[in-house]
Amino acid sequence: MRVYDCIQKKRDGSVLTAEEIEFIVAGVANDTIPDYQLSAFLMAAFIRGMNPEETAHYTRAMMASGDVLDLSDISPLTVDKHSTGGVGDKISLVLAPAVAAAGAIVPMMSGRGLGHTGGTLDKLEAIPGYRIGLSVDEFRAALREVGVAIIGQTGRLAPADKKLYALRDVTATVDSIPLITGSIMSKKLAAGPASIVMDVKWGSGAFMRTIEDARALAASLTAVGRHMGRKVTSFITDMNQPLGRMVGNALETIEAVECLQGRGPADIMELTRVQAGEMLFMAGRAPSFDEGCTLFDRVIADGSAFEKFVSMVENQGGDAGYLRDVSRFPAAAERIEVRAKQSGFIQAMDSVSIGIASIMLGGGRERSEDVIDHSVGIEVLKKCGDQVAGDEPIAILHASRQSKTQAALERYLAAVTIGPAAPAARPLVVERI
Ligand code: URA
């Protein structure tokens, strides 16, 4: 078999066989195919697409390129969730301990910030001492003892994706539904959960800008997961404005604590509740989705979800004193108000720009080697539909002396559209697939 022939076949719009796809992915993993041929293959796949069978073969081959964990001895009903990424999305920090407090085993492998989106691992690392790099044995022990662990992907998990993702990033081939499906699902499947809830976001802060694209991605993720013998439910959810009130690492961890203590913003609580309801149903802890939601309400109200978060953090080396007294998180050096330029209603928020404004403050990475300042970020005071008076504060930038504060302020202002009428309300959870 020759790589050239596979590239040519895909370039001409033909369907690749399982053997051809396995040959290419094996060549990625063994470093036997040069980057220029892989880039040509990726562009051909981007332009021509891949059908559901090809996408499933591609995903399976990427999953098999590294370690594949088997957690069935810990529980046959482990359950995880994955979000396609957003701004202010701290759902995992609330969801994982809450679902574990309700009796499910939650093996969660998360990522760092990608592009304008924040990363669960960066938020957890705002807690001094928290270790994301558990070994597989430590991960398994944490699941047995605590019922939940949130860690980074081990280096040996889907290594072919790591290489291909880096190439996609520089060859304009990221936003392809089959390539995203293979990338996300190969890692999720290798991490071993029996069931997965997918939070597929659409809108100004998401990789999928329209509901139709989000629906197509959700259908693809769901089909591949089911083809590989896992239970998968996808939710399509709104990402046209930041979730909650906080954007930035320590700020979001503090907001997650407030949610776990039943004091969180309504949008975060709603999104977490539906995903928890589904996860508890899938994990056999609740006889229906609705009863799963009720169980979530109970573990929030009785404090057991918060206590589970404390146990998880302590078990991974973090100083849980910060969770019991969030005033211990170091505050940013400066607070700068962003004031509305005119009066009216907030009609739209460009969440990508708000994510970028947070990165400019130092809350994310512009280059992979950048060090994050956990204390900086943005407090969003006004959201879509809110009425504002001219010169009224609409956000507070939490900045350090290193922050590009003026640029972030301008970026934030440009991201917010104020007009004479309130926009039509949009559902947060659009549909469940
Ligand atoms: N997240 C991933 O892990 N892969 C993609 O391709 C896109 C988002």
Side-chain angles (χ1 to χ4, degrees):
M1 204 176 287
R2 294 191 324 147
V3 184
Y4 181 97
D5 298 327
C6 299
I7 297 171
Q8 187 179 44
K9 200 170 164 187
K10 187 41 68 189
R11 182 200 69 187
D12 294 342
S14 300
V15 173
L16 295 176
T17 64
E19 292 71 30
E20 287 164 334
I21 291 173
E22 282 159 16
F23 171 67
I24 291 175
V25 174
V28 178
N30 313 330
D31 260 335
T32 51
I33 305 179
D35 285 359
Y36 50 83
Q37 281 190 309
L38 290 177
S39 303
F41 168 75
L42 287 169
M43 188 55 82
F46 181 93
I47 291 171
R48 290 297 190 171
M50 291 203 263
N51 72 21
E53 286 74 36
E54 289 176 291
T55 308
H57 297 320
Y58 176 67
T59 307
R60 181 184 295 109
M62 296 235 288
M63 175 190 86
S65 71
D67 290 348
V68 178
L69 302 192
D70 179 359
L71 303 175
S72 56
D73 57 320
I74 296 174
S75 163
L77 297 172
T78 51
V79 62
D80 188 9
K81 84 105 195 191
H82 180 82
S83 152
T84 57
V87 178
D89 183 358
K90 67 280 294 171
I91 301 288
S92 292
L93 271 60
V94 188
L95 181 65
V99 170
I105 303 290
V106 187
M108 191 173 274
M109 287 204 191
S110 293
R112 296 203 176 275
L114 187 67
H116 65 281
T117 64
T120 298
L121 300 181
D122 299 322
K123 292 165 204 179
L124 284 167
E125 282 183 340
I127 306 166
Y130 190 89
R131 282 175 62 220
I132 59 148
L134 301 194
S135 67
V136 169
D137 286 344
E138 287 172 324
F139 184 50
R140 294 172 62 85
L143 295 176
R144 279 189 202 288
E145 285 154 29
V146 186
V148 56
I150 305 182
I151 66 168
Q153 266 135 19
T154 70
R156 289 170 25 194
L157 212 86
D161 174 64
K162 193 167 183 197
K163 170 123 196 243
L164 285 177
Y165 193 90
L167 274 181
R168 286 167 59 212
D169 210 16
V170 292
T171 55
T173 51
V174 170
D175 40 351
S176 141
I177 287 177
L179 296 180
I180 293 178
T181 302
S183 171
I184 291 177
M185 290 310 279
S186 60
K187 289 176 286 202
K188 279 287 137 184
L189 295 169
S195 306
I196 308 166
V197 165
M198 302 292 318
D199 181 1
V200 181
K201 303 209 171 285
W202 84 274
S204 68
F207 287 113
M208 298 290 122
R209 292 306 172 93
T210 65
I211 292 195
E212 291 67 37
D213 282 349
R215 206 173 266 140
L217 177 58
S220 176
L221 293 164
T222 309
V224 166
R226 289 181 185 162
H227 188 86
M228 307 281 283
R230 313 295 167 100
K231 285 198 260 178
V232 183
T233 299
S234 294
F235 289 96
I236 296 181
T237 70
D238 187 274
M239 184 25 78
N240 286 288
Q241 59 181 337
L243 280 169
R245 297 270 164 206
M246 298 296 185
V247 179
N249 297 289
L251 293 174
E252 289 193 49
T253 301
I254 294 170
E255 191 169 49
V257 167
E258 288 166 3
C259 293
L260 284 162
Q261 293 174 338
R263 299 180 285 120
D267 56 349
I268 301 281
M269 296 310 283
E270 179 188 344
L271 215 44
T272 312
R273 185 174 192 268
V274 293
Q275 293 179 36
E278 187 66 22
M279 286 170 79
L280 290 168
F281 174 49
M282 289 172 122
R285 307 306 304 186
S288 67
F289 164 73
D290 287 336
E291 289 182 62
C293 293
T294 308
L295 194 48
F296 169 78
D297 295 339
R298 200 176 309 146
V299 295
I300 293 290
D302 69 11
S304 55
F306 173 68
E307 290 305 326
K308 188 60 84 176
F309 188 47
V310 167
S311 305
M312 180 190 85
V313 166
E314 280 175 341
N315 191 53
Q316 293 187 227
D319 183 345
Y322 282 72
L323 308 180
R324 297 203 186 277
D325 176 8
V326 294
S327 70
R328 289 181 62 192
F329 282 99
E334 295 179 57
R335 289 178 182 216
I336 296 110
E337 285 177 346
V338 183
R339 291 174 175 271
K341 284 250 168 29
Q342 64 188 88
S343 56
F345 290 87
I346 304 230
Q347 292 187 322
M349 299 178 86
D350 174 13
S351 312
V352 169
S353 286
I354 294 174
I356 292 172
S358 176
I359 293 172
M360 287 170 161
L361 294 171
R365 298 177 189 82
E366 281 171 4
R367 289 161 309 180
S368 56
E369 62 274 20
D370 288 350
V371 177
I372 284 187
D373 181 343
H374 290 111
S375 70
V376 303
I378 303 173
E379 206 173 325
V380 179
L381 301 178
K382 299 286 178 185
K383 295 188 45 170
C384 289
D386 287 345
Q387 192 165 15
V388 295
D391 208 36
E392 185 180 352
I394 55 171
I396 299 173
L397 306 184
H398 292 237
S400 75
R401 268 177 282 283
Q402 280 72 42
S403 297
K404 297 173 189 156
T405 309
Q406 187 57 31
L409 191 143
E410 283 161 21
R411 189 92 194 205
Y412 194 94
L413 269 178
V416 177
T417 308
I418 299 176
R426 271 185 313 266
L428 185 57
V429 180
V430 179
E431 63 193 52
R432 172 164 158 233
I433 297 175

